[in-house]
């Protein structure tokens, strides 16, 4: 009898997460799976690799390539600059009053993405932006002549950094706070220079957090549609914009090729996270 | 000049002076403890020697060289921290090798030295473990090995045992002292545990409010404290103020009970002098070889094993008396009237002025 | 040296962050030639499209928040209390939206829930709105779940639940009167963040063809010069307000906890 009751109790336990399971299943897993399966299907539902192979055109390759470049560079720069700023406000000996405003602002800026962010950058370094005009009228510098164009890869990177850097600051600041003062002092008294301490102790300890943030920033940039569209319109050839155009108007001329395009995006962000997880496991041998 | 010399060291944070006129000379191979209550400036002194704090004034000489201008990584000092501070991302062997590696020692020599150090601390087989896989006591031994590996001139330990549990604390105490003696390394050991300081050190510096109150061997510190603070901080003490009747011969009265100190007193007849007595210097019962015999009444009895601690009322004051446990002598009953005997030489005379006078700062 | 580098890094960051904000503020005030004016704001605020889309997004945000709380609080509570072995899996699932691009998920929605499917949600405006709300809830899931789970970690869920049960409380009472008040600051933090995310969201709303604030901003951006900058300032102010509210809530709850 008690056995039956225990089974029933255990079954009841599972009832508690049914709503969550249904929601995640219907609105996250199933839609994703549908795309993944669709990428390997002909329009009549037969299995095929043709869609994946069909991705191998100059235009699509180029879209992925630019996307990869923008995402990777903006993640890398975001990590590096964000790290420098976080280090400055935690370990750099700046007045304590500078720390909280920077963190609060990072909270705001990391969520200030999408359409309005693009407007802000257009108003600043777009063709008629504040800085562009100032440099032209006051200093006689025409940014265009120096090759600057906001509606380009680098324009996108500079814009993305506005949410990438704060995200890094938010994530890495607690990790930097976790570095014990004694580690630094122990290294120093053993004869290490500041650089040696960073190379041999601090960075290896921070490595998992940095990597994790890097993967997050990469996915963050790779899936960003709104900022790119508002900034450049549908003209810039990057994967998410291409996919956007495909969904709206089947520009590729084959729905299943669209699935393959989306599938490719999942593979890339998924791979970035796999690399992260593998590196992290290696980097964390010394963790409990 | 001593091997390690601190001369008139001062340290102020803003307007607060936390170390004042601190002067001591440590001989080569000597083991010195800084003992004092929390906040008295022990860590600050140590950190100035280590190179993490710049003295506001004064000089630090190591082996004849003034090191105040040198950074921590140029001073050839070994340091052990309270919270171990092992590098969590490095194995035990890599931790121990760290100082050698940044010092440019070659791989082969490094390996040999690490093995030697691990043998020294008795952790020969744990070289490949990470710090989280070690107990606290093991971690602290690794920290010691790491500090010693580059052959520093001076070893600094800041309360290295206080994060450990009681048993390990005692065993590691002996171990640290043995290693220190074997290597003959000049050592400063910071602690607020008097037993640690007394049992390990060649000399003890008792600190109070940023100052060195007394410097001496453990025996001197315990038996001849020169200030009320030292007397009270190191060990348990019965202190009382007596009125001097005879300065030259050492006669005083304690509430009309005459006592013979038998030595010249620092103050003139009619004035008050601070007298102290260790609990173990008081004997229960009448002992004809002791000069002073007083009636007393037992107030409390605490049986602690080897020692029986008794509180008794003597001349209207509460005395603490320690006697050794003896099988043939059960502790006295509370309320019993007894006699106690004291040898005149056991009285400690506290040279600083009694209450009401200006206390030393 | 060290401090010098720190100042450089800080000032670089401050400049980089300040310039676009300055740029958009200046631009938004420059509609009238030669003088600063609020004309762009006036034009935007008077636009009936602005009012309609903004109201739509606010309502969507409110529903998303309500749905998110109803979904996340009981789940996080239940997982902590009864299914701790499942926590890694649930946590992994809640983090997935950070990895799978939103555009891919909404692509899936369009195919799974179109008019000819088994659940034709996109067939009606209301159905699409509900689908959009689920999408938003999915986007906000990582933040909401983390906030609530962190809040739950701070209280002893098991003991509180047992205490309430011993007093005769049912699950609904426990959740609403014991657990929710204790994690309220966390829930509110998640809610404000959700609001900030939903109010300017573009991709999902545009692809599901809903008249939301995000697509409106994009269309305006493609057709006007000064109004977009004014919109950006407004959007920035909303984000800032949400973050300020989060800080306020957290500080207030720390205060309350310290007093106890
Ligand atoms: N960076 C600092 N700024 C201001 N005051 C300080 C600073 N560091 C230490 N102090 C003060 O200096 C005094 C001595 O501190 P120190 O750490 O040397 O004491 P300690 O003897 O080591 O005490 P403990 O036994 O508690 O470790 C304390 O009153 C402390 O508050
Ligand atoms: Mg200390």
């Amino acid at each position: 009898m008690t056995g039956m009751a225990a089974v029933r109790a255990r079954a009841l336990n599972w009832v508690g997460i049914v709503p969550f399971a249904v929601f995640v299943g219907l609105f996250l897993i199933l839609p994703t799976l549908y795309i993944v399966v669709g990428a390997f299907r002909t329009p009549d539902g037969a299995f095929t690799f043709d869609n994946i192979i069909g991705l191998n055109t100059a235009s699509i390759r180029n879209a992925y390539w630019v996307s990869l470049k923008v995402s990777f560079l903006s993640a890398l720069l975001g990590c590096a600059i964000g790290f420098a700023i976080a280090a400055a406000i935690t370990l750099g000996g700046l007045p304590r009053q500078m720390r909280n405003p920077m963190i609060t602002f990072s909270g705001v800026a990391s969520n200030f993405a999408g359409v309005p962010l693009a407007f802000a950058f257009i108003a600043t370094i777009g063709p008629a932006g504040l800085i562009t005009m100032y440099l032209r009228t006051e200093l006689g510098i025409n940014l265009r002549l120096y090759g600057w164009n906001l509606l380009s890869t680098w324009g996108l990177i500079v814009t993305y950094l506005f949410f990438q850097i704060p995200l890094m600051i938010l994530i890495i600041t607690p990790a930097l706070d976790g570095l014990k003062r004694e580690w630094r002092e122990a290294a120093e008294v053993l004869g290490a220079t500041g650089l040696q301490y960073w190379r041999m102790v601090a960075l290896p300890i921070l490595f998992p957090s940095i990597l994790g943030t890097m993967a997050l920033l990469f996915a963050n940039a790779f899936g960003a549609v709104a900022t790119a569209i508002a900034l450049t319109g549908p003209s810039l050839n990057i994967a998410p914009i291409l996919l956007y155009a495909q969904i709206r108007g089947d520009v590729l001329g084959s729905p299943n090729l669209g699935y393959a395009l989306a599938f490719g995006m999942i593979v890339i962000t998924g791979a970035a996270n796999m690399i992260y997880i593998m590196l992290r496991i290696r980097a964390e041998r010394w963790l409990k | 000049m001593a091997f390690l010399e601190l001369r008139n060291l001062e340290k102020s944070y803003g307007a607060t002076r936390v170390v004042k006129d601190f002067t001591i000379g440590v001989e080569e191979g000597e083991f010195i403890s800084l003992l004092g209550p929390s906040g008295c400036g022990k860590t600050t002194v140590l950190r100035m020697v280590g190179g993490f704090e710049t003295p506001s004034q004064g000089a630090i000489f190591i082996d004849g060289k003034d090191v105040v201008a040198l950074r921590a990584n140029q001073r050839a000092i070994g340091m052990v921290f309270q919270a171990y501070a092992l590098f969590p991302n490095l194995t035990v062997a890599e931790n121990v090798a760290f100082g050698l590696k940044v010092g440019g020692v070659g791989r082969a020599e490094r390996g040999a030295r690490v093995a030697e150090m691990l043998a020294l601390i008795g952790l020969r087989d744990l070289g490949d473990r990470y710090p989280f896989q070690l107990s606290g006591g093991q971690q602290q031994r690794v920290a010691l090995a790491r500090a010693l590996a580059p052959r520093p001139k001076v070893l600094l330990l800041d309360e290295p045992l206080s994060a450990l549990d009681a048993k390990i604390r005692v065993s590691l105490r002996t171990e640290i002292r043995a290693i220190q003696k074997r290597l003959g390394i000049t050592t400063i050991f910071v602690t607020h545990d008097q037993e640690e300081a007394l049992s390990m050190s060649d000399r003890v510096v008792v600190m109070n409010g940023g100052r060195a109150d007394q410097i001496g061997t453990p025996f001197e510190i315990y038996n001849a404290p020169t200030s009320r603070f030292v007397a009270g901080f190191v060990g348990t003490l019965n202190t009382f103020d007596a009125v001097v009747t005879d300065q030259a011969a050492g006669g005083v009265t304690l509430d009309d009970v005459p006592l013979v100190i038998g030595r010249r007193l620092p103050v003139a007849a009619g004035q008050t002098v601070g007298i102290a007595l260790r609990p173990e210097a008081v004997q229960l019962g009448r002992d004809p070889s002791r000069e002073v015999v007083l009636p007393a009444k037992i107030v409390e009895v605490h049986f602690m094993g080897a020692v029986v601690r008794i509180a008794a009322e003597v001349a209207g004051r509460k005395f603490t008396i320690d006697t050794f446990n003896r099988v043939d002598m059960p502790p006295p009953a509370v309320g019993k009237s007894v006699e106690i005997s004291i040898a005149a030489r056991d009285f400690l005379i506290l040279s600083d002025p009694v209450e009401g006078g200006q206390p030393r700062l | 040296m060290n401090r010098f580098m720190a100042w450089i890094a800080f000032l670089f960051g401050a400049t980089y962050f300040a310039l676009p904000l300055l740029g958009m503020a200046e631009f938004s005030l420059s509609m009238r030639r030669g003088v600063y004016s609020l004309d762009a704001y006036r034009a935007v605020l008077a636009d009936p499209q602005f009012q309609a889309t903004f109201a739509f997004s606010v309502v969507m945000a409110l529903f998303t928040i309500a749905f998110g709380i109803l979904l996340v609080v009981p789940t996080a509570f239940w997982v902590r209390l009864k299914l701790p072995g499942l926590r890694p899996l649930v946590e992994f699932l809640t983090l997935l939206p950070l990895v799978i691009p939103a555009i891919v998920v909404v692509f899936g929605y369009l195919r799974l829930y179109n008019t000819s499917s088994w659940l034709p949600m996109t067939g009606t405006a209301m159905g699409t709105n509900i689908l959009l709300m689920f999408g938003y809830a999915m986007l906000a899931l990582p933040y909401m779940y983390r906030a609530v789970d962190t809040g739950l970690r701070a209280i002893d869920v098991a003991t509180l639940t047992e205490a309430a049960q011993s007093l005769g409380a049912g699950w609904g009472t426990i959740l609403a009167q014991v657990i929710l008040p204790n994690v309220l600051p966390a829930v509110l933090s998640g809610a404000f963040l959700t609001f900030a995310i939903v109010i300017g969201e573009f991709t999902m709303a545009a692809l599901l063809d809903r008249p939301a604030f995000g697509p409106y901003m994009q269309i305006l951006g493609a057709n006007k010069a000064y109004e977009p900058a004014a919109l950006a300032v407004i959007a920035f102010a909303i984000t800032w307000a949400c973050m300020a509210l989060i800080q306020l809530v957290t500080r207030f709850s720390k205060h309350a906890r310290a007093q106890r």
Side-chain angles (χ1 to χ4, degrees), chain C residues 109-135:
Chain C
Y109 288 0
L110 285 169
R111 293 301 136 95
L112 261 181
Y113 306 116
N114 62 24
T115 40
S116 56
S117 76
W118 62 285
L119 190 63
M121 295 181 81
T122 57
T124 60
M126 186 43 77
T128 318
N129 287 344
I130 292 172
L131 184 59
L132 183 58
M133 184 197 75
F134 286 149

Coordinates of all heavy atoms in Angstrom, one line a residue, chain C residues 109-135:
Chain C
Y109 N 7.7 29.4 -35.1 CA 6.3 29.7 -34.7 C 5.5 29.8 -36.0 O 4.4 29.3 -36.1 CB 6.3 31.0 -34.0 CG 6.8 31.0 -32.6 CD1 7.3 29.9 -32.0 CD2 6.7 32.2 -31.8 CE1 7.7 29.9 -30.7 CE2 7.2 32.2 -30.5 CZ 7.7 31.0 -29.9 OH 8.1 31.1 -28.7
L110 N 6.1 30.6 -37.0 CA 5.3 30.9 -38.2 C 4.9 29.6 -38.9 O 3.9 29.6 -39.6 CB 6.1 31.8 -39.1 CG 6.2 33.3 -38.6 CD1 7.3 34.0 -39.4 CD2 4.8 33.9 -38.7
R111 N 5.8 28.6 -38.8 CA 5.5 27.4 -39.6 C 4.6 26.4 -38.7 O 3.8 25.8 -39.3 CB 6.8 26.6 -39.9 CG 7.6 27.4 -40.9 CD 6.8 27.6 -42.2 NE 6.9 28.9 -42.7 CZ 7.8 29.3 -43.7 NH1 8.5 28.4 -44.3 NH2 7.8 30.5 -44.1
L112 N 4.9 26.4 -37.4 CA 4.1 25.5 -36.5 C 2.7 25.9 -36.3 O 1.8 25.1 -36.1 CB 4.9 25.3 -35.2 CG 5.8 24.1 -35.0 CD1 6.4 24.2 -33.6 CD2 5.1 22.8 -35.2
Y113 N 2.5 27.2 -36.2 CA 1.2 27.7 -35.7 C 0.5 28.5 -36.8 O -0.2 29.5 -36.4 CB 1.4 28.5 -34.4 CG 2.1 27.7 -33.3 CD1 3.4 28.0 -32.9 CD2 1.6 26.5 -32.9 CE1 4.0 27.3 -31.9 CE2 2.2 25.7 -31.9 CZ 3.5 26.1 -31.5 OH 4.1 25.3 -30.6
N114 N 0.8 28.2 -38.0 CA 0.1 29.0 -39.1 C -1.3 28.5 -39.3 O -1.7 27.5 -38.6 CB 0.9 29.0 -40.3 CG 1.1 27.6 -40.9 OD1 0.3 26.7 -40.6 ND2 2.1 27.4 -41.7
T115 N -2.0 29.1 -40.2 CA -3.5 28.8 -40.3 C -3.7 27.4 -40.7 O -4.8 26.8 -40.4 CB -4.1 29.8 -41.4 OG1 -3.2 29.9 -42.4 CG2 -4.4 31.1 -40.8
S116 N -2.8 26.7 -41.4 CA -3.1 25.4 -41.8 C -2.5 24.3 -40.9 O -2.4 23.2 -41.3 CB -2.5 25.2 -43.3 OG -1.1 25.5 -43.2
S117 N -2.1 24.8 -39.7 CA -1.4 23.8 -38.8 C -2.5 23.3 -37.8 O -3.6 23.7 -37.8 CB -0.3 24.4 -38.1 OG -0.8 25.3 -37.1
W118 N -2.0 22.4 -36.9 CA -2.9 21.8 -35.9 C -3.3 22.8 -34.8 O -4.3 22.7 -34.1 CB -2.2 20.6 -35.2 CG -0.9 21.0 -34.5 CD1 0.3 21.3 -35.0 CD2 -0.8 21.2 -33.1 NE1 1.2 21.7 -34.1 CE2 0.6 21.6 -32.9 CE3 -1.6 21.0 -32.0 CZ2 1.0 21.8 -31.6 CZ3 -1.1 21.2 -30.7 CH2 0.2 21.6 -30.5
L119 N -2.5 23.9 -34.6 CA -2.8 24.9 -33.7 C -2.7 26.3 -34.3 O -1.7 26.9 -34.3 CB -1.9 24.8 -32.5 CG -2.2 25.7 -31.2 CD1 -3.5 25.2 -30.6 CD2 -1.1 25.6 -30.2
P120 N -3.8 26.7 -35.1 CA -3.7 27.8 -36.0 C -3.7 29.2 -35.2 O -4.7 29.9 -35.3 CB -4.9 27.7 -36.9 CG -5.9 26.9 -36.1 CD -5.1 26.1 -35.1
M121 N -2.7 29.4 -34.4 CA -2.7 30.6 -33.6 C -2.6 31.9 -34.4 O -3.2 32.9 -34.0 CB -1.6 30.6 -32.6 CG -1.7 29.5 -31.6 SD -0.4 29.4 -30.4 CE -0.9 30.7 -29.3
T122 N -1.9 31.9 -35.6 CA -1.7 33.1 -36.3 C -3.0 33.4 -37.2 O -3.0 34.4 -37.9 CB -0.5 33.0 -37.3 OG1 -0.7 31.9 -38.1 CG2 0.8 32.9 -36.5
G123 N -4.0 32.6 -37.0 CA -5.2 32.8 -37.8 C -6.0 34.0 -37.4 O -6.6 34.7 -38.2
T124 N -5.9 34.3 -36.1 CA -6.6 35.5 -35.6 C -5.7 36.5 -35.0 O -4.6 36.1 -34.6 CB -7.7 35.1 -34.5 OG1 -6.9 34.5 -33.5 CG2 -8.7 34.1 -35.1
A125 N -6.1 37.7 -34.9 CA -5.2 38.7 -34.2 C -5.0 38.4 -32.8 O -3.8 38.4 -32.3 CB -5.9 40.1 -34.3
M126 N -6.0 37.9 -32.1 CA -5.9 37.6 -30.7 C -4.9 36.4 -30.6 O -4.0 36.4 -29.7 CB -7.3 37.3 -30.1 CG -7.2 37.0 -28.6 SD -6.2 38.2 -27.7 CE -7.3 39.6 -27.7
G127 N -5.1 35.4 -31.4 CA -4.2 34.3 -31.4 C -2.8 34.7 -31.6 O -1.9 34.2 -30.9
T128 N -2.5 35.6 -32.5 CA -1.2 36.0 -32.8 C -0.6 36.8 -31.6 O 0.5 36.6 -31.3 CB -1.1 36.9 -34.1 OG1 -2.0 36.3 -35.1 CG2 0.3 37.0 -34.6
N129 N -1.5 37.6 -31.0 CA -1.0 38.3 -29.8 C -0.6 37.4 -28.7 O 0.5 37.6 -28.1 CB -2.1 39.2 -29.3 CG -2.4 40.4 -30.2 OD1 -1.5 40.7 -31.0 ND2 -3.5 41.1 -30.0
I130 N -1.4 36.3 -28.6 CA -1.0 35.3 -27.5 C 0.3 34.7 -27.9 O 1.2 34.5 -27.0 CB -2.2 34.3 -27.3 CG1 -3.4 35.0 -26.8 CG2 -1.7 33.2 -26.4 CD1 -4.6 34.1 -26.7
L131 N 0.4 34.3 -29.2 CA 1.7 33.7 -29.6 C 2.9 34.6 -29.3 O 3.9 34.2 -28.8 CB 1.6 33.3 -31.1 CG 2.8 32.6 -31.7 CD1 3.0 31.3 -30.9 CD2 2.6 32.3 -33.2
L132 N 2.7 35.9 -29.6 CA 3.7 36.9 -29.4 C 4.1 37.0 -27.9 O 5.3 37.0 -27.6 CB 3.3 38.3 -29.9 CG 4.3 39.4 -29.8 CD1 5.6 39.0 -30.6 CD2 3.7 40.7 -30.4
M133 N 3.0 36.9 -27.1 CA 3.3 37.0 -25.7 C 4.1 35.8 -25.2 O 5.1 35.9 -24.4 CB 2.0 37.0 -24.9 CG 2.2 37.2 -23.4 SD 0.7 36.7 -22.5 CE 0.8 34.9 -22.6
F134 N 3.8 34.6 -25.7 CA 4.6 33.4 -25.4 C 6.0 33.6 -25.9 O 7.0 33.2 -25.2 CB 4.0 32.1 -26.1 CG 2.7 31.7 -25.4 CD1 1.8 31.0 -26.1 CD2 2.6 31.8 -24.0 CE1 0.6 30.6 -25.5 CE2 1.4 31.4 -23.4 CZ 0.4 30.8 -24.1
G135 N 6.2 34.2 -27.0 CA 7.5 34.4 -27.5 C 8.3 35.4 -26.6 O 9.4 35.1 -26.3

